[in-house]
Amino acid sequence: MSIGTPATRALSQAQVRFRVLEYDYVTGQDRIGLHAAEAIGADPGRVLKTLMVEVDGKPACAVIPSDRSLSMKRVAAAFGGKSAQMMPPDKAERLTGYHTGGISPFGQKRRHPTAFEASALAVPEVVINGGRRGLMVALAPADALEAAAAKAQPLCAE
């Protein structure tokens, strides 16, 4: 199954089983992940958002539930750094090859260190952006970790 995004092609090439979920993306949403969860009728805790960050000035990718917020202290610790901050959207787009609202941890232009919020992986299936606005993929958490070459770490604020 290939929908034609770098993310879905990467998953297919890795022989990962996934389902495609599409919804009408509405521009101008403040909380894109929550909008996606509502649009596809999924629990916001299972719909994961992909955030590009900089840890000690180096790019990294954090994947967390759409209803949670990052703890920059935890992000820095997860990637072995001292400080972390959100990456500017234009830089995130340039480094990943995706548009904001469609950034996926799979199939980025160049692989960046990636971590998933550990507490979000105790479910049978997670939903993550499939590489374009309005396209999500549903897959097993273990498959998502493997396909993104990611580690499970505490990333969210309490």
Side-chain angles (χ1 to χ4, degrees):
M1 169 191 299
S2 179
I3 300 302
T5 69
T8 58
R9 285 192 294 272
L11 290 171
S12 293
Q13 187 175 3
Q15 299 183 342
V16 170
R17 292 182 51 145
F18 65 95
R19 294 184 301 116
V20 171
L21 304 166
E22 294 186 84
Y23 69 97
D24 290 327
Y25 178 87
V26 178
T27 57
Q29 293 287 320
D30 286 336
R31 304 201 57 185
I32 297 167
L34 292 177
H35 169 68
E38 183 179 336
I40 63 173
D43 174 1
R46 286 187 332 109
V47 177
L48 308 183
K49 57 187 174 183
T50 306
L51 303 170
M52 294 304 293
V53 296
E54 293 178 311
V55 178
D56 295 343
K58 296 178 182 162
C61 180
V63 184
I64 67 170
S66 61
D67 60 352
R68 308 265 318 266
S69 299
L70 281 178
S71 159
M72 290 304 169
K73 190 178 247 184
R74 286 182 166 195
V75 168
F79 292 104
K82 293 183 181 188
S83 68
Q85 63 184 22
M86 291 300 298
M87 184 180 289
D90 61 328
K91 185 173 182 180
E93 290 180 348
R94 194 171 57 253
L95 290 180
T96 64
Y98 295 121
H99 293 292
T100 304
I103 295 177
S104 178
F106 315 115
Q108 293 185 1
K109 271 191 194 176
R110 196 167 147 229
R111 190 165 271 190
H112 299 94
T114 302
F116 282 62
E117 166 58 43
S119 67
L121 304 176
V123 294
E125 185 178 71
V126 292
V127 180
I128 303 171
N129 198 290
R132 92 171 134 77
R133 295 170 176 164
L135 178 72
M136 307 294 281
V137 291
L139 67 166
D143 290 341
L145 279 173
E146 186 175 334
K151 55 187 175 181
Q153 295 285 315
L155 301 172
C156 292
E158 293 292 323

